[in-house]
Structure formats: C-alpha cells, structure tokens
Amino acid sequence: MISQFFSEWREEIKSLLVFLKNPHQNFDRKYSFFEKQRTITALFLLEVAFTFILVFPLNYLIGKVYHIRYIDDLANFSILEIILLGVFIIPFIEEIFFRLPLKYKRNYLFKFFDLFTKNKFFEHFWNSNYRFFFYFFVITFGLLHASNYENKITATFLIVSFFITLSQLSGGLVMGYLRLKFGFIWGYIYHIIWNFVFLVGSYLLYHNTILIDFKTTDTIIKLEYLSSTEGQPYIYKDIENDTIYEMKITNSDFQYLLNEVAPKYHSDEVHVINLDIESKKGISRKKLFRILKHKIQIDSIRN
C-alpha cells in the first residue's frame, strides 16, 4: 500500500516536471475524480516538503542577513474574516487574473485583439510563445507577493524577493499545471486547500502565544501575541509622568504600545496583542521598552 502510494506520487511529480519543461494547453483526455484527487494530494505533499525543506530554512537565513519588513494585512481581522478573505475571496481573484487566461479560449484580452485581425495573429502569437506566457504569469504571481513587504525597492530587495516569494512561485507552477490539466475550478480548489491549511495552521500554532511573562515582587507584565483579533479593542492605562502603574490592552496594535513607550520605534514581527501590566511601585517607560526589545524584534522608524 505504502509502496504503491510512493510509486504514484513519483509518477505525478514526473508528469509535472515533464510539463514544466514544455508548458502547453493540450490536455485532451478527461480525468476521473479519483485521478484529480490523487494528483492534488501528491502535488500538495510535494509543496509541503518543498516549503519545509527549502522555503522556511532559506527565509530564516535571509532574515539573519537582511531584515525583511512583513506587512500582515489580515492581522486586524477575526479568524472567520481571515478564512473568508484569505481562503476564498483573495485566491479566487488571483486565479481569475493569473490562471484563467492560461487557456487561449479564456484569454479575453488576446481574443479581443484578434477581433481586429483576419488571420488570428494574436492566437498564433500566443500559441507559438506559450512557454514564455506561462512563466510570465507564474513569475508575476509570485513577485506580486513581494508587495507583502514594506522594504524599500532596491537592487538587493529585488534579488531577495525571488527567494522570499519561492512558496508563491512554486504554487504558481502547480496551480497553473492543475488549471490546464483539469480546469479552472481545480486550480482554485488547490489554492483554497493550501491557504486554509497554512492560515489555520498558523493560527493554531501561534494564536494566544505568550511572548512576555515577567514577574517581580511588585510588577507583573504579560504580553500575548494574537494571530487575529477576538473582538473590539480595549485600552486602559494608569500612567503618571514617566511611570506606568497599570495598563491593559486587548485586541489592539502592538504599535500602540510602542507609541506609548518609544514612539520612534516600530515592529513588523508582532501586530495584534493582549497586554496586562500591574505594578505597585510603577515601571518606567524606558524599562518596559528594554523588556519588550529583549523578546521582540524592534527597529527604529525610518525617516
């Protein structure tokens, strides 16, 4: 049973690699539901292996030598809103733009241009240069995700962007293959499965993670990381001059806390937090900042 699974897995990977050497639109025969399910499973496992073996370690090493400023656009949404947007809506829009046109009969831009030609010039141009167009859509889809980072666009960042978007580039290859082999809906289904597993997986792994649990005889500081909001923000603070006696923050931006203690600093590592500070004698803003900086990547705000 296991040997049969690995044999079929190798065959699916081989078929993908053969396709990638010469991308084409000509998958003539129909495939059964079982064949589609088997292919999607095999390619999903391939991408998972690729992500854990290469993508994650590579991103970790890049982060050691080049500070990547990630923008988490979904951090201030609830988990249900994240699933709706990140699993269903955004993937559908991306599939419409980057996978639907991969077959000429759904490439409405080129078909529109061909209305004004007598010999279907644009269809012939598309077909004769199909490899270029396929990889153009893959690379554009991958590098579009570089906009998830707020680093300045420099030559270094352009080079780095190819590596930090490897997951999207490999996903573009796989979903393009599935779209051409099985149809648009199957590439979209794969996209849904991938985003669901990794978004929900990240939520389960990191939501409500305790980043700081600081205790002395008179001071308690507890900082909790949230993958998504759990309701309306709540903020209470008891501060006199430079001394914090009590502060409670729920479902709010980490940047709000930084603005309170060190407004010239920023963090893209942590976004939404719960915070509870109680101090009988009080804690200075400077000391609280040192405690935060010891646990969290915090950088100066660029002018």
Side-chain angles (χ1 to χ4, degrees), residues 108-250:
Y108 298 110
L109 180 62
F110 270 44
K111 292 186 77 173
F112 173 77
F113 289 146
D114 258 341
L115 292 175
F116 304 99
T117 64
K118 294 182 179 179
N119 58 355
K120 295 188 175 181
F121 169 81
F122 288 97
E123 182 176 2
H124 294 307
F125 182 70
W126 171 266
N127 291 331
S128 60
N129 295 278
Y130 189 73
R131 180 185 296 183
F132 165 81
F133 286 114
F134 178 82
Y135 283 108
F136 170 80
F137 276 102
V138 169
I139 293 170
T140 304
F141 170 73
L143 294 184
L144 175 71
H145 290 79
S147 63
N148 292 338
Y149 304 87
E150 60 177 1
N151 297 68
K152 287 183 178 179
I153 299 177
T154 62
T156 303
F157 179 68
L158 290 175
I159 294 170
V160 167
S161 63
F162 275 95
F163 297 100
I164 61 178
T165 60
L166 267 180
S167 180
Q168 289 82 14
L169 288 167
S170 66
L173 293 172
V174 170
M175 289 181 287
Y177 172 68
L178 292 172
R179 183 269 178 275
L180 291 166
K181 188 172 183 178
F182 299 146
F184 172 82
I185 191 64
W186 290 96
Y188 177 49
I189 288 172
Y190 183 91
H191 206 156
I192 288 173
I193 295 170
W194 181 267
N195 281 23
F196 179 82
V197 169
F198 277 85
L199 283 174
V200 174
S202 296
Y203 176 85
L204 294 175
L205 281 172
Y206 299 113
H207 191 64
N208 296 122
T209 300
I210 303 298
L211 296 179
I212 296 173
D213 193 1
F214 177 88
K215 294 180 181 178
T216 64
T217 54
D218 69 298
T219 301
I220 296 174
I221 302 173
K222 186 174 181 180
L223 180 69
E224 186 178 42
Y225 170 84
L226 303 180
S227 297
S228 65
T229 60
E230 298 179 320
Q232 293 298 315
Y234 170 78
I235 297 170
Y236 171 80
K237 55 187 179 181
D238 179 7
I239 303 174
E240 292 182 13
N241 298 320
D242 196 43
T243 304
I244 302 169
Y245 293 95
E246 187 174 4
M247 182 179 286
K248 295 185 185 296
I249 298 176
T250 304

Side-chain angles (χ1 to χ4, degrees), residues 1-13:
M1 188 73 175
I2 295 176
S3 61
Q4 181 183 354
F5 169 79
F6 279 106
S7 176
E8 292 174 349
W9 189 43
R10 285 195 298 269
E11 286 302 312
E12 294 293 349
I13 295 171

Side-chain angles (χ1 to χ4, degrees), residues 9 13 42-57 194 198:
W9 189 43
I13 295 171
L43 297 183
F44 182 85
L45 293 175
L46 173 66
E47 268 214 277
V48 169
F50 177 76
T51 299
F52 280 92
I53 293 171
L54 183 62
V55 175
F56 286 166
W194 181 267
F198 277 85

